[in-house]
Amino acid sequence: MAAYDVAVIGGGPAGYVAGVRVAQSGGSCVVIERGELGGTCLNWGCIPSKSLIAAAEVYRNIKNADAYGIEVTGEVRADLAAMVERKDKIVAGLVKGIGGLFKAHGVDHVTGDAEILERRKISVRGKNGDHEIVEASKIIIATGSRPAQIPAFPIDGKKIISSEQAVHLKKLPERVLIVGAGVIGCEFACLYRELGAEVTMVELLDRVLPLGDEDVSKLMARELRKQKIKVRLGEEITSVSPDGEEMVAGFEGSDEEERADLVLVSVGRTMNTDGLGLERIGVELGAHGEIKVNDLMETNVAGVYAAGDVVGEPMLAHVASAEGVAAAENAMGAEIRMDYRAIPAGIFTHPEIGVVGMAEHEAEKAGHAVRVGKFSVRTLGKAQAERALEGEVKVIADAADDAILGVHIVGAHAADIVHEAAVAMQHRVTASDLAGTVHSHPTLSEAVMEAALDVHGEAIHAPPKKRS
């Protein structure tokens, strides 16, 4: 029976990072993972999808090379199977890299399904049916999440798929129906449309990216239409059934239907808490099945921590890693508290989106009187030079003290640029401070400075604001 200071259940962005940090803190650690190291993010989510999206971007640029004064002759064709093969090589290398990190830091790795028997004892069932007992003074649960299953359109992995199957798709269907116009739905809509498929999106709520800022939603809806992606908002799919080789979707209160060759379901995720034995030791779950934790990542059971998707929103890989670090350090005797105030997020649509902080409606709902600054990306010289004209930067500030409450960026490299806003918010920089920070020219980041200037009506390269 192996004994450790900390046992981590799950080897995704929360789990493997937690394992390394325990070792860095001087503890002995084992990471138990039933699949590949890296979890959903590395194997079926962030990295695979962004590899395919990067390939689609190259394809787009080649097709539009004449706009840059470059003549491309001959056929330009996207080979999805080759793109997937490239993606697989990238993923395999990164998975191997995590294994190398474990070896370098002395973190043990056990493959199998974990079940907590007692507060300090875990049973691990291997693929061959063998059982191994692991003892640990502390336990960190980092088992992640999986795509939600909806009875109206059960995922079969063939005609009805989730994002986990989508990244392995080697042949592009002619028509794709995407259920849900959130982050995953919009990313795959842009990807498949760029590669030549007819794409229809259906969203139950009244706008695309319904959880984000309304101005971002409006801008993205316009860009989706420009890409000839059909979007049906405020409609509910009640059934998806086969008709020969086609799939037919029926709608609530309507005789109209949508036909497609493939249905991609992207309507949320379910936490992986089943089969872990949590009820055996009394770990408390929330209303949506998430493990309840405090800001130290502690559960209600002493010595048991949780991190990543399994604790609920925000379900982002970098948040999971930060939570994993906090859980690991606290398990080793520190007191690190999670701060979610300035968490950035990227959405890899075309154009890209970068977000940090509150949406305008969220800030107002929280009781803030707000000032808003906006700046169109197409005004920038760098945007003109790169032909990256679509997009806008929006800065939301508190009217009372000028504190930055949120920044929303749509445009090329938005997911990278947003980090200057994240640093500003983390260190309580005001909108005026951000506006007064000299930005290099010519860059796309200048739009952040201009939007911050516009909070007070001082943007240089924009028409003056109307005085109320």
Side-chain angles (χ1 to χ4, degrees):
M1 182 185 298
Y4 299 88
D5 292 319
V6 179
V8 181
I9 303 175
Y16 88 76
V17 169
V20 171
R21 183 49 61 91
V22 168
Q24 289 175 332
S25 302
S28 59
C29 185
V30 60
V31 174
I32 305 164
E33 168 57 56
R34 64 186 177 188
E36 295 285 355
L37 291 172
T40 293
C41 173
L42 178 47
N43 293 282
W44 308 284
C46 314
I47 304 305
S49 62
K50 277 52 185 183
S51 171
L52 298 173
I53 289 167
E57 183 178 4
V58 172
Y59 181 50
R60 180 189 311 115
N61 289 338
I62 293 173
K63 288 190 298 180
N64 294 302
D66 61 330
Y68 299 87
I70 299 171
E71 182 180 350
V72 176
T73 59
E75 182 185 11
V76 178
R77 185 176 62 88
D79 185 340
L80 184 55
M83 291 162 61
V84 170
E85 182 180 359
R86 171 182 177 270
K87 175 266 299 182
D88 289 342
K89 290 179 181 178
I90 292 169
V91 170
L94 292 172
V95 170
K96 185 178 180 181
I98 296 173
L101 281 174
F102 281 0
K103 289 180 181 178
H105 288 280
V107 177
D108 285 347
H109 170 212
V110 175
T111 302
D113 289 289
E115 182 179 359
I116 301 172
L117 303 178
E118 302 172 9
R119 198 184 64 78
R120 296 172 181 266
K121 188 179 292 185
I122 301 169
S123 171
V124 183
R125 186 180 72 253
K127 292 181 179 180
N128 58 4
D130 292 345
H131 283 77
E132 178 180 351
I133 300 298
V134 172
E135 281 195 346
S137 300
K138 306 286 178 62
I139 295 173
I140 299 174
I141 302 167
T143 46
S145 65
R146 61 184 183 272
Q149 287 274 9
I150 306 299
F153 20 85
I155 295 169
D156 61 16
K158 297 177 182 178
K159 286 291 190 177
I160 305 178
I161 65 172
S162 72
S163 57
E164 293 190 354
Q165 289 89 41
V167 297
H168 297 295
L169 196 67
K170 294 183 178 180
K171 184 178 180 182
L172 185 70
E174 290 186 13
R175 298 165 300 170
V176 181
L177 174 63
I178 299 178
V179 183
V183 172
I184 295 173
C186 285
E187 287 186 349
F188 276 99
C190 292
L191 169 64
Y192 288 148
R193 182 66 193 127
E194 189 62 56
L195 298 181
E198 293 181 15
V199 178
T200 298
M201 304 179 73
V202 179
E203 171 57 51
L204 179 62
L205 300 179
D206 62 357
R207 57 190 176 99
V208 301
L209 300 173
L211 301 182
D213 189 86
E214 290 187 20
D215 284 335
V216 173
S217 293
K218 289 176 184 176
L219 199 159
M220 197 64 227
R222 184 172 72 241
E223 293 301 322
L224 292 172
R225 288 193 297 270
K226 284 166 61 176
Q227 295 171 53
K228 295 183 170 54
I229 295 170
K230 181 180 177 182
V231 182
R232 299 181 60 162
L233 299 173
E235 297 194 70
E236 180 180 3
I237 294 179
T238 55
S239 64
V240 176
S241 56
D243 182 10
E245 292 298 313
E246 295 181 318
M247 300 301 292
V248 183
F251 294 82
E252 175 71 28
S254 174
D255 293 331
E256 188 179 357
E257 60 187 24
E258 286 286 350
R259 291 178 173 266
D261 304 302
L262 183 72
V263 178
L264 169 60
V265 179
S266 57
V267 290
R269 299 185 68 83
T270 299
M271 291 75 173
N272 292 327
T273 56
D274 46 310
L276 288 176
L278 300 181
E279 68 287 346
R280 190 174 289 124
I281 60 171
V283 171
E284 186 178 357
L285 302 182
H288 302 289
E290 74 279 11
I291 295 177
K292 296 180 72 171
V293 293
N294 59 19
D295 59 0
L296 297 171
M297 309 314 297
E298 297 171 322
T299 70
N300 62 305
V301 178
V304 179
Y305 300 77
D309 282 8
V310 78
V311 305
E313 298 289 348
M315 291 187 180
L316 299 166
H318 46 287
V319 173
S321 293
E323 291 171 342
V325 167
E329 294 202 18
N330 293 335
M332 291 300 295
E335 189 172 313
I336 306 298
R337 298 183 183 276
M338 276 299 299
D339 178 5
Y340 297 94
R341 184 173 46 86
I343 298 293
I347 304 174
F348 296 86
T349 45
H350 177 64
E352 251 180 41
I353 299 171
V355 174
V356 62
M358 291 186 280
E360 185 175 353
H361 69 274
E362 291 173 331
E364 291 173 342
K365 186 177 179 180
H368 297 278
V370 302
R371 283 199 180 102
V372 174
K374 297 181 183 179
F375 189 79
S376 175
V377 170
R378 71 171 49 246
T379 307
L380 298 175
K382 183 68 179 296
Q384 293 286 334
E386 290 193 356
R387 199 171 171 267
L389 305 178
E390 306 88 356
E392 179 181 80
V393 177
K394 177 178 181 178
V395 175
I396 303 161
D398 191 304
D401 62 6
D402 205 34
I404 300 172
L405 302 175
V407 177
H408 304 262
I409 304 173
V410 182
H413 308 296
D416 297 307
I417 296 169
V418 76
H419 290 93
E420 75 162 289
V423 172
M425 288 184 64
Q426 184 69 30
H427 295 281
R428 305 184 187 279
V429 169
T430 66
S432 296
D433 291 333
L434 182 57
T437 302
V438 178
H439 283 60
S440 177
H441 174 79
T443 64
L444 298 177
S445 294
E446 289 176 277
V448 177
M449 176 185 68
E450 293 274 13
L453 282 164
D454 191 55
V455 168
H456 298 286
E458 297 174 346
I460 298 298
H461 296 93
K465 279 189 169 182
K466 293 181 180 180
R467 300 292 182 179
S468 55

